[in-house]
Amino acid sequence: MLLLGIDIGTSSIKVAVVDAQTQKTIAAAQYPEEEATIHASHPGWAEQDPELWWAHTQQAFEICKKKANFQPMDISAIGIAYQMHGLVLVDKNQQLLRNSIIWCDSRAVALGNEAFDELGHDYCLSHLLNSPGNFTASKLAWVKQNEPECYAKIDKVMLPGDFIAMKLCSSITTSISALSEGVFWDFQSDTLSETLMEYYGFDRSLIPEIKPVFSAHGQVSASSANLLGLKAGIPVSYKSGDQPNNALSLNVLEPGEVAATAGTSGVIYGVSDQLAYDPQSRVNTFAHVNYTEAQKRLGILLCINGTGSMNRWAKALLAPGIAYNDLNTAAKKIAIGADGLRILPFGNGAERMLNNKMVGAHLQHIDFNLHSTAHIFRAVQEGIAFAFRYGLDIMRSNGLQPKVIRAGKANLFLSELFLEAFVNSTGVPVELYENDGSVGAAIGAGIGAGTYPDAAAAFRNIKPLQLVEPASNLGYETAYQDWLQNLSNKMK
């Protein structure tokens, strides 16, 4: 029995075929190899074409089929992970009405801030557990205000994973977890927030049918089955935002457990059983994949918009012909603190943890006679690690005290330099696992389809690859405090 996982990322689509019994990956692929296009027609805007997500899903699955000897007809369930907070709009014929306004788009910040003030901070934080900010509901409000002809044609509002499930099954569903990440969910009443819907003037009919995360969200249609070579009627039995899915894939499901990622964006994600919120809404609280009315499981999420994207941008600009491993090796030879060079990695839109400010990315204290490309890459990775420390301190002030952080050995966590800077800046040990969002989605599909009796059974074969402990007297605290002063100056 095989499971198919699909991860709709910002940079590419990843797919994995997993053996349900052993949890081993039979085949995995991504498409495109180069980063997918983000359309930015105005400063602070970010859009992608959802039809390209679907086309790239097909391409990635075709590569999978060529890489390994398996029978696609043996796939029994599909799981989908996706970039969070994106807005996808379709008409009554399930035709796209516009490009998706994705997670790092900042155009709706003013509308969200206005809603925060007019609905009341106490209401938003105690009921929605977040300010509306530039989340999906506020993005929809922007379309309503600025593109009324488009808005009038909307039949259903979706997140990116819902769109791919629709292409597979021709049906549209959502979940409490998805609605909470769009800031549509009232946690006090455990219902759709009628107050928010009324404030923005949204009709209830725009919201798809609500299903549990682990459940049948539809069956693969005959046309999609024929297109992909799958068996018609198999379920899409799991849909989750990428960060809750990453936590699932690391078996982070219970209160006190914490996961981290450092891909295009950077995230620390902790699980709580309390309806907690940050008074300044700098970190966010959403329903986790295993949230139920009877058993509250909340995901507390800190996001840094530009982590891997900062590293990629620096490489493309300064070292296009040099491999990441070679850059990391050279940067590791530079002393901690990069001889005073500092990077603020905030060049990918308004940062939630900085009170939705557009601080921008900054390279500071350059010495033409001292600093080299290696210094810059040291400063980039330290700056990203320091941004994680800044955010984790916010989470600590709100009661999250992680004893260990679990992370996949991927993206920036492949860099020994970044890993050292992260562990010693935060002061928290890191357990590294071989994990992948598409593999996590496949295992989620198995849980949703009843292949596994529970999550514990699904993760019985998952063991850490490595434990990295903080060292002492490495000088990271001194460098962090200097970095923090530079950030404070830019925040004034």
Side-chain angles (χ1 to χ4, degrees):
M1 184 182 294
L2 303 179
L3 303 166
L4 175 62
I6 303 169
D7 183 7
I8 310 301
T10 311
S11 302
S12 66
I13 309 301
K14 296 180 180 179
V15 300
V17 177
V18 174
D19 184 296
Q21 183 175 4
T22 65
Q23 293 90 47
K24 297 293 185 183
T25 302
I26 304 299
Q30 71 178 59
Y31 192 88
E33 291 296 329
E34 299 297 323
E35 293 202 10
T37 300
I38 295 177
H39 303 285
S41 57
H42 295 77
W45 288 25
E47 299 185 357
Q48 288 186 320
D49 179 0
E51 288 290 355
L52 279 180
W53 298 336
W54 176 233
H56 292 166
T57 298
Q58 296 170 58
Q59 292 274 11
F61 189 53
E62 285 301 312
I63 295 169
C64 248
K65 288 191 283 188
K66 292 174 182 176
K67 288 174 72 172
N69 184 23
F70 68 93
Q71 296 300 318
M73 295 293 282
D74 289 339
I75 292 170
S76 61
I78 301 173
I80 300 172
Y82 58 86
Q83 49 173 292
M84 296 174 71
H85 315 305
L87 175 71
V88 183
L89 305 173
V90 295
D91 65 16
K92 61 183 179 181
N93 297 314
Q94 298 188 352
Q95 298 299 304
L96 274 173
L97 292 170
R98 66 175 332 280
N99 278 347
S100 172
I101 303 175
I102 66 172
W103 60 277
C104 55
D105 186 287
S106 302
R107 75 186 72 182
V109 168
L111 281 173
N113 288 343
E114 185 177 340
F116 194 34
D117 291 337
E118 295 193 5
L119 289 172
H121 292 201
D122 288 344
Y123 169 80
C124 289
L125 295 176
S126 63
H127 286 256
L128 309 176
L129 305 186
N130 303 284
S131 75
N134 64 330
F135 291 121
T136 315
S138 300
K139 291 176 168 71
L140 180 60
W142 185 93
V143 173
K144 184 173 185 282
Q145 183 177 103
N146 293 277
E147 299 176 353
E149 291 184 3
C150 173
Y151 183 85
K153 297 175 183 176
I154 299 172
D155 180 61
K156 288 292 179 284
V157 172
M158 293 185 287
L159 293 162
D162 302 327
F163 176 80
I164 298 302
M166 181 198 80
K167 298 297 281 189
L168 285 164
C169 304
S170 300
S171 57
I172 304 174
T173 68
T174 188
S175 67
I176 292 174
S177 182
L179 290 170
S180 74
E181 76 173 74
V183 194
F184 288 103
W185 195 253
D186 187 323
F187 283 94
Q188 296 295 334
S189 60
D190 254 334
T191 59
L192 190 69
S193 173
E194 298 297 339
T195 301
L196 182 86
M197 297 290 284
E198 183 178 336
Y199 171 81
Y200 276 137
F202 300 154
D203 193 278
R204 174 65 177 79
S205 66
L206 298 178
I207 304 299
E209 179 185 4
I210 302 171
K211 296 260 199 173
V213 169
F214 300 106
S215 68
H217 292 269
Q219 288 74 41
V220 173
S221 66
S223 59
S224 292
N226 183 61
L227 183 66
L228 295 169
L230 300 172
K231 186 187 298 181
I234 63 173
V236 171
S237 51
Y238 170 79
K239 287 190 303 182
S240 170
D242 52 7
Q243 297 309 325
N245 177 71
N246 179 67
L248 168 79
S249 70
L250 293 165
N251 198 19
V252 170
L253 293 167
E254 297 305 323
E257 296 175 340
V258 179
T261 57
T264 302
S265 62
V267 167
I268 296 177
Y269 187 99
V271 179
S272 173
D273 56 1
Q274 304 296 314
L275 296 181
Y277 55 85
D278 176 54
Q280 298 182 49
S281 199
R282 295 164 296 174
V283 298
N284 306 111
T285 305
F286 307 119
H288 195 26
V289 293
N290 55 343
Y291 177 96
T292 65
E293 187 174 355
Q295 181 175 274
K296 310 294 187 188
R297 291 294 181 266
L298 289 302
I300 302 172
L301 187 153
L302 161 85
C303 182
I304 306 160
N305 289 351
T307 54
S309 58
M310 174 82 224
N311 202 47
R312 173 198 55 78
W313 178 86
K315 179 185 181 302
L317 195 69
L318 301 172
I322 303 175
Y324 280 111
N325 283 344
D326 293 337
L327 286 170
N328 294 338
T329 298
K332 201 168 187 302
K333 294 176 182 177
I334 303 300
I336 293 168
D339 290 321
L341 198 62
R342 298 284 177 263
I343 290 279
L344 300 179
F346 303 119
N348 201 19
E351 292 284 353
R352 189 76 168 181
M353 73 172 186
L354 302 181
N355 299 106
N356 279 326
K357 291 186 178 180
M358 297 274 286
V359 172
H362 299 270
L363 175 61
Q364 298 176 300
H365 311 313
I366 302 169
D367 184 329
F368 296 144
N369 299 312
L370 174 61
H371 293 137
S372 63
T373 300
H375 281 86
I376 293 174
F377 276 89
R378 172 117 209 170
V380 164
Q381 294 193 33
E382 286 184 349
I384 294 166
F386 294 158
F388 272 105
R389 158 70 186 277
Y390 181 91
L392 183 58
D393 282 351
I394 295 172
M395 300 176 87
R396 284 168 168 148
S397 72
N398 285 284
L400 186 72
Q401 301 292 334
K403 294 181 172 58
V404 66
I405 294 174
R406 297 177 189 168
K409 193 166 185 177
N411 302 313
L412 277 170
F413 280 106
L414 289 169
S415 166
E416 289 183 7
L417 166 59
F418 174 76
L419 184 56
E420 177 189 282
F422 179 95
V423 168
N424 289 287
S425 298
T426 61
V428 182
V430 169
E431 282 183 347
L432 290 176
Y433 291 78
E434 185 172 341
N435 100 305
D436 178 273
S438 57
V439 174
I443 293 174
I447 298 171
T451 305
Y452 307 112
D454 51 37
F459 293 101
R460 65 177 180 267
N461 292 324
I462 294 187
K463 306 294 181 187
L465 300 172
Q466 183 181 359
L467 173 66
V468 182
E469 301 264 12
S472 59
N473 301 319
L474 283 181
Y476 280 104
E477 184 63 25
T478 300
Y480 171 71
Q481 292 300 330
D482 184 62
W483 179 93
L484 181 61
Q485 184 59 54
N486 286 323
L487 175 60
S488 299
N489 292 339
K490 294 295 181 184
M491 292 278 286
K492 290 178 181 177

